[in-house]
Amino acid sequence: MSIESLLSENRAELESIDIHLNNTFITISKHSLLENEQFISNFHQPKSHTEAKDTRSINQLNHQYEELESNLQDLNRLQSTYNHYQEIKQLVDKGNQLNLLDFQQLFTLFEDSSKYYKTIEDDILIYNIVHKSIDTLYETFVEILNNYLLTLLPNEFTIENISGLQEFNKLLIKNNNIKLKNYTILRTKWDQLVEYILVNNHHLDLDDSNLDIDLVSIKLSTNENDKQFIKSVSNLITFLNYVGNDSIKHYINSKLSTLFVNKLSIQISSINNDPSHISELNQLLTVSRSSGWNVLVGFQEGHKIEDNLNKLYHDWIIDQFIDELRKVFKDEQLIKNIDNEPEPEPEQEDATGKASNSSATDDDGWNDDAWNDDGWDDDDDDDTNGNKNNNNKEDTVGKKDGVKISQLSDEIINIIKEFESQSTDTKYLISTIKSLSLVRYPPINESILIYNDLNYISKSINSDNLKRFTESIWNQNLVNIYQQLKLVLISLNLDSTLEDAGNEDDLDDYNLNQLSLIYSIFNSLYNDSDYKQLNPPKFNHLIKDIIDFLNNYLVSIILSLDDIPEYQSVKLCKVIDSINNITIPFITHEQKEEISSYHRLDNYKFLIKNHLRDIMDRFNDAEFFDLTTEELVTMIKKLFIQSTLRDDYIEEIIEIRNLT
């Protein structure tokens, strides 16, 4: 049965239903309904099976009407799609006789049929058949477009009809910028032409003498004069401008720009001294800028070609050496090859007589007056130029100290030295080293290799910039360690009761668990990092630093407490002993003697643990030299209740300290 027959049959049935519904509505009234026994019986007893089969209710009729209406709509859509199919087929069957107007009509018909497809249920078989037929016709249509393109642009060397090609391109753009296979093939061939003229020394001639008949062509030949590449690039750009396809221009532009700048930079000296080449470059700039090509994007308008060439050469040199740096950083074996750092050359002294290698101040973020006496911030001094000078022994170590570096550092130094023979502007290379180092080296919390290498490189190439960067990496690592220790210390429960005082041996479980975290930090530095193996001096200095921080921070916590009763004093002494038991095994006796905060913490323990008379004896022996007068007085007031004896001792301490 044809579509027309189905439509006719459904319309007839709908008309019959309409007549029946209208006749029914006319007879319905309140009186007629009350007189209708069959209607009244619906409210008293269910219909029998026989009555339900023989009589259709208004709801049933309405439902059937809606279903038929939906089917009719589907049939109407199907009829429209079928009509589109017939119209598309008639046009597509013309094949290569189609023109631009026919192409546009077909684009519109295909788009309309696609819209209809979205409104039809997918399970309607006949529609799917029609739709597949339309898809097949679309594939044929695209092939016709490809063939039409060849009549305008038969190969990569010839345009037969410039104006026709431009109109055809506009048609493609207007209709979703459709991609054609033959354009893709031509794009690949033009891309190869770029290599011919910029890598393989071929010359490209342009013949645009027949523009009056819309004909233009190019010709590739062997280039005996390697300097002709500038004119060849101009000819290629001009030809592709006639083609007028923006997507192809964007595809070709990046490769063309890179290879052209590279070739131009290599021959910069001879080109810069040849007026004819300067003229060709000016012509190329005019052609490329007016048509949106970025072949010489770095050239600044208003500047002489010669100046732009010099800048181009400088930028090219930088790019070449940056590429060399990337290559050596990619070689993982260079990082794995570890050797002792060579003996450093004698350092030049600055105007102040200090060593010139710089170092940033170790800053843990904690600012407390109690630290002023322990020399914490005395490592670095400023010279007359505002640079930081570091007197730390571990920063000028050599082979004898066991500092190890990777083979990568020597490769980097060689690249920088070679670059410096051509330019003194190393800032871009230094920036590259910094960026790549953060990616390629192991994290600083696991390995000190990045510090060793960058420190060695910065000294070898005399780069304060890289030195500051190296120290910032290390200082950030210190801050992270200090922050971990600080969090543990402030989490300790230093409140106490008489029950705690009764236990003379151990701390409570909570504090023991917290203090075990401090042990874990020290143990991790020893066993989970390579600090000790790759840089023993820096490692030893680090351990002393964090012990100093730990002891001094604990002192500051004790100093911040309110009145300290006797039973709390017992707990504080246990905490001090526990921390000493953790830290002392990680250092030698000589190192312990170098860490002044041990004596300072021991003085606080003495204050907490002993009587006033004992404290005064120790004071008279000058053992409290590392505590300020204010600290001594404050602690005595916290530990002992007000009395004449206490006040007399405090007055005596103040008087003696004032005399000295």
Side-chain angles (χ1 to χ4, degrees), residues 438-451:
L438 294 175
V439 176
R440 299 302 298 172
Y441 279 95
I444 185 66
N445 63 318
E446 298 175 4
S447 173
I448 202 171
L449 186 60
I450 185 174
Y451 177 87

PDB file of all heavy atoms in Angstrom, residues 438-451:
ATOM      1  N   LEU A 438      62.391  21.459  38.087  1.00  0.00           N
ATOM      2  CA  LEU A 438      61.274  21.109  38.964  1.00  0.00           C
ATOM      3  C   LEU A 438      60.521  19.888  38.453  1.00  0.00           C
ATOM      4  O   LEU A 438      59.878  19.180  39.227  1.00  0.00           O
ATOM      5  CB  LEU A 438      60.318  22.304  39.084  1.00  0.00           C
ATOM      6  CG  LEU A 438      60.879  23.534  39.784  1.00  0.00           C
ATOM      7  CD1 LEU A 438      59.881  24.682  39.727  1.00  0.00           C
ATOM      8  CD2 LEU A 438      61.235  23.227  41.229  1.00  0.00           C
ATOM      9  N   VAL A 439      60.618  19.653  37.148  1.00  0.00           N
ATOM     10  CA  VAL A 439      59.898  18.522  36.552  1.00  0.00           C
ATOM     11  C   VAL A 439      60.747  17.257  36.536  1.00  0.00           C
ATOM     12  O   VAL A 439      60.261  16.166  36.815  1.00  0.00           O
ATOM     13  CB  VAL A 439      59.451  18.876  35.111  1.00  0.00           C
ATOM     14  CG1 VAL A 439      58.782  17.682  34.446  1.00  0.00           C
ATOM     15  CG2 VAL A 439      58.507  20.069  35.124  1.00  0.00           C
ATOM     16  N   ARG A 440      62.037  17.399  36.214  1.00  0.00           N
ATOM     17  CA  ARG A 440      62.861  16.228  35.944  1.00  0.00           C
ATOM     18  C   ARG A 440      63.552  15.644  37.182  1.00  0.00           C
ATOM     19  O   ARG A 440      63.786  14.438  37.242  1.00  0.00           O
ATOM     20  CB  ARG A 440      63.939  16.587  34.909  1.00  0.00           C
ATOM     21  CG  ARG A 440      63.383  17.045  33.580  1.00  0.00           C
ATOM     22  CD  ARG A 440      62.489  15.998  32.940  1.00  0.00           C
ATOM     23  NE  ARG A 440      63.226  14.771  32.639  1.00  0.00           N
ATOM     24  CZ  ARG A 440      62.659  13.661  32.235  1.00  0.00           C
ATOM     25  NH1 ARG A 440      61.355  13.601  32.109  1.00  0.00           N
ATOM     26  NH2 ARG A 440      63.369  12.589  31.975  1.00  0.00           N
ATOM     27  N   TYR A 441      63.883  16.488  38.178  1.00  0.00           N
ATOM     28  CA  TYR A 441      64.575  15.971  39.360  1.00  0.00           C
ATOM     29  C   TYR A 441      63.573  15.341  40.338  1.00  0.00           C
ATOM     30  O   TYR A 441      62.395  15.715  40.353  1.00  0.00           O
ATOM     31  CB  TYR A 441      65.323  17.090  40.075  1.00  0.00           C
ATOM     32  CG  TYR A 441      66.662  17.427  39.465  1.00  0.00           C
ATOM     33  CD1 TYR A 441      66.775  18.468  38.545  1.00  0.00           C
ATOM     34  CD2 TYR A 441      67.809  16.718  39.808  1.00  0.00           C
ATOM     35  CE1 TYR A 441      68.012  18.794  37.979  1.00  0.00           C
ATOM     36  CE2 TYR A 441      69.044  17.042  39.254  1.00  0.00           C
ATOM     37  CZ  TYR A 441      69.136  18.074  38.336  1.00  0.00           C
ATOM     38  OH  TYR A 441      70.344  18.384  37.789  1.00  0.00           O
ATOM     39  N   PRO A 442      64.045  14.411  41.170  1.00  0.00           N
ATOM     40  CA  PRO A 442      63.175  13.894  42.245  1.00  0.00           C
ATOM     41  C   PRO A 442      62.789  15.025  43.193  1.00  0.00           C
ATOM     42  O   PRO A 442      63.519  16.020  43.306  1.00  0.00           O
ATOM     43  CB  PRO A 442      64.069  12.854  42.953  1.00  0.00           C
ATOM     44  CG  PRO A 442      65.151  12.527  41.983  1.00  0.00           C
ATOM     45  CD  PRO A 442      65.372  13.752  41.158  1.00  0.00           C
ATOM     46  N   PRO A 443      61.657  14.906  43.882  1.00  0.00           N
ATOM     47  CA  PRO A 443      61.231  15.966  44.812  1.00  0.00           C
ATOM     48  C   PRO A 443      62.291  16.223  45.879  1.00  0.00           C
ATOM     49  O   PRO A 443      62.982  15.300  46.331  1.00  0.00           O
ATOM     50  CB  PRO A 443      59.944  15.397  45.433  1.00  0.00           C
ATOM     51  CG  PRO A 443      59.469  14.375  44.464  1.00  0.00           C
ATOM     52  CD  PRO A 443      60.695  13.799  43.816  1.00  0.00           C
ATOM     53  N   ILE A 444      62.397  17.466  46.295  1.00  0.00           N
ATOM     54  CA  ILE A 444      63.426  17.867  47.251  1.00  0.00           C
ATOM     55  C   ILE A 444      63.246  17.180  48.597  1.00  0.00           C
ATOM     56  O   ILE A 444      64.216  16.981  49.327  1.00  0.00           O
ATOM     57  CB  ILE A 444      63.418  19.404  47.422  1.00  0.00           C
ATOM     58  CG1 ILE A 444      64.570  19.873  48.322  1.00  0.00           C
ATOM     59  CG2 ILE A 444      62.080  19.872  47.983  1.00  0.00           C
ATOM     60  CD1 ILE A 444      65.932  19.642  47.732  1.00  0.00           C
ATOM     61  N   ASN A 445      62.020  16.792  48.953  1.00  0.00           N
ATOM     62  CA  ASN A 445      61.821  16.112  50.239  1.00  0.00           C
ATOM     63  C   ASN A 445      62.319  14.664  50.205  1.00  0.00           C
ATOM     64  O   ASN A 445      62.419  14.018  51.236  1.00  0.00           O
ATOM     65  CB  ASN A 445      60.346  16.154  50.647  1.00  0.00           C
ATOM     66  CG  ASN A 445      59.457  15.418  49.674  1.00  0.00           C
ATOM     67  OD1 ASN A 445      59.631  15.519  48.470  1.00  0.00           O
ATOM     68  ND2 ASN A 445      58.504  14.679  50.193  1.00  0.00           N
ATOM     69  N   GLU A 446      62.643  14.168  48.995  1.00  0.00           N
ATOM     70  CA  GLU A 446      63.169  12.809  48.868  1.00  0.00           C
ATOM     71  C   GLU A 446      64.646  12.794  48.503  1.00  0.00           C
ATOM     72  O   GLU A 446      65.381  11.892  48.889  1.00  0.00           O
ATOM     73  CB  GLU A 446      62.384  12.043  47.794  1.00  0.00           C
ATOM     74  CG  GLU A 446      60.900  11.880  48.097  1.00  0.00           C
ATOM     75  CD  GLU A 446      60.159  11.236  46.953  1.00  0.00           C
ATOM     76  OE1 GLU A 446      60.825  10.846  45.959  1.00  0.00           O
ATOM     77  OE2 GLU A 446      58.926  11.125  47.023  1.00  0.00           O
ATOM     78  N   SER A 447      65.041  13.781  47.711  1.00  0.00           N
ATOM     79  CA  SER A 447      66.425  13.794  47.220  1.00  0.00           C
ATOM     80  C   SER A 447      66.978  15.203  47.218  1.00  0.00           C
ATOM     81  O   SER A 447      66.295  16.161  46.833  1.00  0.00           O
ATOM     82  CB  SER A 447      66.476  13.216  45.799  1.00  0.00           C
ATOM     83  OG  SER A 447      67.772  13.364  45.252  1.00  0.00           O
ATOM     84  N   ILE A 448      68.241  15.314  47.621  1.00  0.00           N
ATOM     85  CA  ILE A 448      68.914  16.617  47.639  1.00  0.00           C
ATOM     86  C   ILE A 448      69.663  16.870  46.336  1.00  0.00           C
ATOM     87  O   ILE A 448      70.350  17.886  46.182  1.00  0.00           O
ATOM     88  CB  ILE A 448      69.883  16.690  48.844  1.00  0.00           C
ATOM     89  CG1 ILE A 448      70.172  18.155  49.198  1.00  0.00           C
ATOM     90  CG2 ILE A 448      71.160  15.910  48.558  1.00  0.00           C
ATOM     91  CD1 ILE A 448      70.934  18.317  50.489  1.00  0.00           C
ATOM     92  N   LEU A 449      69.495  15.981  45.352  1.00  0.00           N
ATOM     93  CA  LEU A 449      70.251  16.087  44.105  1.00  0.00           C
ATOM     94  C   LEU A 449      69.964  17.391  43.374  1.00  0.00           C
ATOM     95  O   LEU A 449      70.871  18.005  42.814  1.00  0.00           O
ATOM     96  CB  LEU A 449      69.934  14.895  43.196  1.00  0.00           C
ATOM     97  CG  LEU A 449      70.764  14.811  41.910  1.00  0.00           C
ATOM     98  CD1 LEU A 449      72.247  14.700  42.234  1.00  0.00           C
ATOM     99  CD2 LEU A 449      70.306  13.622  41.055  1.00  0.00           C
ATOM    100  N   ILE A 450      68.709  17.820  43.358  1.00  0.00           N
ATOM    101  CA  ILE A 450      68.383  19.076  42.676  1.00  0.00           C
ATOM    102  C   ILE A 450      69.123  20.243  43.317  1.00  0.00           C
ATOM    103  O   ILE A 450      69.593  21.140  42.611  1.00  0.00           O
ATOM    104  CB  ILE A 450      66.847  19.319  42.674  1.00  0.00           C
ATOM    105  CG1 ILE A 450      66.518  20.575  41.854  1.00  0.00           C
ATOM    106  CG2 ILE A 450      66.304  19.449  44.088  1.00  0.00           C
ATOM    107  CD1 ILE A 450      65.026  20.811  41.684  1.00  0.00           C
ATOM    108  N   TYR A 451      69.249  20.221  44.627  1.00  0.00           N
ATOM    109  CA  TYR A 451      69.994  21.290  45.314  1.00  0.00           C
ATOM    110  C   TYR A 451      71.479  21.214  44.963  1.00  0.00           C
ATOM    111  O   TYR A 451      72.097  22.232  44.638  1.00  0.00           O
ATOM    112  CB  TYR A 451      69.798  21.180  46.825  1.00  0.00           C
ATOM    113  CG  TYR A 451      70.591  22.207  47.594  1.00  0.00           C
ATOM    114  CD1 TYR A 451      70.071  23.470  47.846  1.00  0.00           C
ATOM    115  CD2 TYR A 451      71.885  21.930  48.041  1.00  0.00           C
ATOM    116  CE1 TYR A 451      70.805  24.433  48.525  1.00  0.00           C
ATOM    117  CE2 TYR A 451      72.630  22.876  48.715  1.00  0.00           C
ATOM    118  CZ  TYR A 451      72.086  24.127  48.964  1.00  0.00           C
ATOM    119  OH  TYR A 451      72.828  25.078  49.620  1.00  0.00           O
TER     120      TYR A 451
END
